[in-house]
Amino acid sequence: MFGKSQNLKYILSLVPGKKRLGTYRFLPLFFCIGGVMEWIMINVRIGKETFYDVYRRKQSEREYQHKTEEGFVLTESEAK
């Protein structure tokens, strides 16, 4: 059980900058991971849609639903 903890400590000690930055030495790594995730969400298509296509569609559906509940938008049955 403690062998895994020692292995993890060893791997983490290999990251440079321990004296100067301490725990903050991992920030550039997480910044890069966040950038890669954002790039994937913008550019990678699953089927025909990206993450942001789905987000925009759902947001416009919520706005339309909100407007219809408040009576700002006429539905087809009300227009006739």
Side-chain angles (χ1 to χ4, degrees):
M1 181 171 139
F2 293 109
K4 291 181 181 179
S5 178
Q6 293 297 325
N7 290 339
L8 183 61
K9 283 183 183 181
Y10 174 72
I11 292 171
L12 292 177
S13 71
L14 293 177
V15 177
K18 185 174 184 177
K19 283 185 181 179
R20 181 174 281 182
L21 299 173
T23 306
Y24 297 107
R25 68 183 185 232
F26 299 105
L27 278 178
L29 174 69
F30 293 122
F31 183 80
C32 291
I33 290 172
V36 168
M37 282 179 51
E38 189 73 22
W39 184 87
I40 289 171
M41 289 179 2
I42 293 170
N43 294 314
V44 174
R45 293 192 176 277
I46 298 175
K48 294 182 179 179
E49 294 182 317
T50 65
F51 170 81
Y52 286 113
D53 293 337
V54 174
Y55 175 78
R56 283 188 296 243
R57 181 171 40 86
K58 294 287 186 183
Q59 186 179 17
S60 66
E61 288 173 0
R62 280 187 227 110
E63 288 177 6
Y64 180 79
Q65 182 68 28
H66 182 69
K67 287 180 181 179
T68 56
E69 288 173 357
E70 292 184 0
F72 292 128
V73 177
L74 292 175
T75 60
E76 289 181 22
S77 61
E78 292 174 349
K80 292 180 181 180

